[in-house]
Amino acid sequence: MAMRRYALFSILVLSLFASSIRSEQTETKEFVLTLDHTNFSETINKHDFIVVEFYAPWCGHCKQLAPEYEKAASELSSHVPPVVLAKIDASEETNREFATQYEVQGFPTIKIFRNGGKAVQEYNGPREADGIVSYLKKQSGPASFEIKSADVAAEVVGDKKVVVVGVFPKLSGAEFDSFLATAEKLRSDYDFAHTSDAKFLPRGESVTGPVVRLFKPFDELFVDSKDFDGEALEKFVKESSIPLITVFDKDPNNHPYVIKFFDSPNTKAMLFINFTGEGAETLKSKYREVATSNKGQGLSFLLGDAENSQGAFQYFGLEESQIPLIIIQTVDDKKYLKTNLEVDQIESWVKDFKDGKVAPHKKSQPIPTENNEPVKVVVAESLDDMVFNSGKNVLLEFYAPWCGHCQKLVPILDEVAVSYQSDPSVVIAKLDATANDFPHDTFDVKGFPTIYFRSASGNIVVYEGDRTKEDIISFIDKNKDTAGEPTKTEEKTTEEAKDEL
C-alpha cells in the first residue's frame, strides 16, 4: 500500500510541470487505437509489443497528454516495425475490470504489454511526444544494446543518465544470461548495454570482466559489481541508481530520480528550501553531511526547491511561509515535521526522530465551525470524534475535489443523507482525502471515490455496490446496528456479568 501512495505522490508533485507542455495536433487521422471491453484482450493478445494508456475523460492530466500521445502514435506508426499506441477509458463501468487487473491506481497510467500480454511493465518515460517516441523505440528493441566501439560507448553512456553496462569476455555463459534477464526485467526503468571489450568504456582500461558497471551523473559517477545472482544484481542496480540526495527542482533530468526516490522502500526525509535564498548553500552542505552519516540505514534524502514544489506542499498540507522545513514520511505513512528549520537543527532533529522523540504530524483541514449540511464534513482532526468514537453508524466517502465521479456522487449522497434525517443513529459524511491524513491500514483508499461504512459497534465494510440512492440505502440498512441493539462492548459486559453471577 505504501508503495502505491508514494507512486501517486510522485505523479502529483511532477504534474506541476505538465502544464508547461504545449503542442498542436494537426493530424486528422487518429493513430491511437481506442480499446474497450469488447476488443481489449483480443488486441493485446495479437501484439508482441503494444502500449496502452488507461485514462478518464474528466482527468486534466489525461487531456494534456492526449495530443502528445497522438503525435507520438503518428510518428511511431512508421517505425520498422510499427509501434502501436492504444487507450482505454478505465473509468467506464464496463472497462473497470482491466484497471483492476493491471493495478491502475490513477490517471493517466501507461502500461507496456509484451508477448501478447504475457509480460506487463510500467511506462516510466517522458510525457511529451519526442520523449515518448525516443523511449518507446528503445523499449521495443533489445533489452541490452551491444557496444562495439568507444564512440558508441560515449553516446550510450553520456553524462546525464543512469546506464548499466555489462562487461563479458565472451557474450555467453551464466553471468551473461543473468545480466540479460535482469535487463529484460528492469528495462522500463533503466538503460542497459553490454560489451566484450571494457576499453571501449569511459575509465574502463583496468576493468576485467565479467563485471557490471553502473554509470551515473551524480555522487561517485560509477560503481561496479561482480555478483550475478539475479536478486543481488537487481538490488545493486536499484540501490546504486538513487543519488545520496535526490534533487527536486525544475530540471527535468532530475525527475526520473524523484520517481525512483518514492519507489524506494526506505523511510523518506525531505528538506524544502528556497534554492536562491540566503543561507541555501549552508543548508545544503549540512543536509549532505547528515545524509552521508545516515547512508545505508534505511533513510533516503530529498532536497526540494520550494519554488517548484507546490505539488508536494499541497500533498503534505504545507505552506511556503514554513520553509526551510524538513518532513519525514515512514513506510507506514506516518509523517514528522519541523518547520522554519535552522541549519544547526538538522542533525539533532533527525537524531531525535530516529530515537523516537518526535511526535507525528497530522495533515488536517480546520474543523468546520458549522457542519449543518445533510452530508457532514469530516477532517483528520475530527475523524475520531465523528467516526471512531461517535457511537453511530457512519457512511464515509473519501473523495478528491478534482474527481469527476465524486462530483456526480454529491447529489446522490445528499439524497441518502436526507432520507436518514429522522434516524440520528446514521451519519452520512465525507472526507477530502487529498487534504487530510487518515489511517490507511483501516481505510484502503486506492482511488476516488472510495466509500466505507463503520457500524456503531465498530464493524468496517467497504461499499462496492452501484452508486445509486437505493443501493446505498439498502447497504446501510443491511449493515447498521439498529437502535437498542447492544454493541460488541455491551454484549461482552453482559456476558461477563452472567459469568460473575
Side-chain angles (χ1 to χ4, degrees), residues 186-259:
L186 302 180
R187 63 181 299 166
S188 64
D189 295 300
Y190 307 95
D191 289 344
F192 287 84
H194 58 271
T195 185
S196 59
D197 192 342
K199 290 193 289 293
F200 293 149
L201 303 178
R203 299 172 296 278
E205 294 81 4
S206 61
V207 177
T208 56
V211 65
V212 175
R213 171 161 288 189
L214 185 144
F215 293 91
K216 50 186 177 178
F218 49 80
D219 300 339
E220 64 269 62
L221 299 183
F222 70 87
V223 287
D224 293 342
S225 175
K226 291 195 173 187
D227 190 342
F228 286 91
D229 173 76
E231 290 185 6
L233 187 54
E234 182 176 342
K235 181 179 180 182
F236 165 74
V237 172
K238 289 182 176 180
E239 291 185 352
S240 302
S241 62
I242 298 177
L244 176 65
I245 296 179
T246 299
V247 176
F248 179 56
D249 57 10
K250 63 183 178 182
D251 184 354
N253 291 317
N254 288 329
H255 298 170
Y257 305 117
V258 174
I259 293 174

Side-chain angles (χ1 to χ4, degrees), residues 53-113:
E53 175 203 3
F54 295 81
Y55 76 98
W58 44 261
C59 164
H61 297 308
C62 302
K63 294 176 182 177
Q64 289 175 338
L65 174 64
E68 301 294 318
Y69 197 63
E70 176 64 33
K71 185 178 177 181
S74 173
E75 184 170 341
L76 289 168
S77 67
S78 59
H79 184 261
V80 181
V83 175
V84 179
L85 272 60
K87 64 182 180 181
I88 182 169
D89 179 357
S91 69
E92 177 64 38
E93 189 71 39
T94 56
N95 298 331
R96 285 184 187 171
E97 62 176 296
F98 302 111
T100 301
Q101 180 180 352
Y102 296 109
E103 299 181 342
V104 174
Q105 304 298 325
F107 302 121
T109 291
I110 305 175
K111 302 273 186 177
I112 297 173
F113 293 82

Side-chain angles (χ1 to χ4, degrees), residues 197-400:
D197 192 342
K199 290 193 289 293
F200 293 149
L201 303 178
R203 299 172 296 278
E205 294 81 4
S206 61
V207 177
T208 56
V211 65
V212 175
R213 171 161 288 189
L214 185 144
F215 293 91
K216 50 186 177 178
F218 49 80
D219 300 339
E220 64 269 62
L221 299 183
F222 70 87
V223 287
D224 293 342
S225 175
K226 291 195 173 187
D227 190 342
F228 286 91
D229 173 76
E231 290 185 6
L233 187 54
E234 182 176 342
K235 181 179 180 182
F236 165 74
V237 172
K238 289 182 176 180
E239 291 185 352
S240 302
S241 62
I242 298 177
L244 176 65
I245 296 179
T246 299
V247 176
F248 179 56
D249 57 10
K250 63 183 178 182
D251 184 354
N253 291 317
N254 288 329
H255 298 170
Y257 305 117
V258 174
I259 293 174
K260 288 181 174 63
F261 173 84
F262 286 103
D263 281 344
S264 164
N266 289 346
T267 291
K268 294 160 178 62
M270 294 156 277
L271 174 66
F272 293 99
I273 65 173
N274 183 345
F275 276 20
T276 59
E278 183 179 353
E281 294 306 315
T282 304
L283 283 164
K284 290 179 182 179
S285 177
K286 187 62 181 180
Y287 192 56
R288 177 164 285 276
E289 287 181 24
V290 173
T292 301
S293 65
N294 285 274
K295 187 175 182 180
Q297 298 181 31
L299 189 58
S300 298
F301 290 82
L302 177 141
L303 178 65
D305 183 8
E307 183 180 351
N308 299 289
S309 301
Q310 296 306 308
F313 282 24
Q314 177 185 345
Y315 179 83
F316 288 116
L318 305 172
E319 298 178 3
E320 284 195 53
S321 61
Q322 297 173 308
I323 63 168
L325 66 85
I326 185 170
I327 187 164
I328 291 180
Q329 186 172 22
T330 60
V331 293
D332 59 355
D333 206 38
K334 291 181 180 178
K335 304 174 185 71
Y336 301 81
L337 174 67
K338 174 66 176 175
T339 61
N340 304 120
L341 186 72
E342 300 287 344
V343 66
D344 59 358
Q345 296 174 326
I346 298 175
E347 185 174 8
S348 60
W349 187 85
V350 171
K351 183 179 185 300
D352 285 346
F353 159 76
K354 293 173 65 178
D355 293 341
K357 297 179 181 179
V358 179
H361 166 73
K362 183 185 292 185
K363 178 178 70 171
S364 179
Q365 293 175 302
I367 297 177
T369 54
E370 294 185 359
N371 207 353
N372 300 322
E373 296 299 320
V375 176
K376 306 304 177 185
V377 174
V378 175
V379 298
E381 292 290 355
S382 65
L383 186 63
D384 284 344
D385 290 340
M386 294 189 66
V387 179
F388 292 112
N389 302 326
S390 67
K392 297 182 181 295
N393 301 287
V394 183
L395 185 84
L396 180 61
E397 176 205 10
F398 294 86
Y399 74 96

Side-chain angles (χ1 to χ4, degrees), residues 98 437 489 491 501:
F98 302 111
D437 287 333
T489 302
E491 289 175 349
L501 291 176

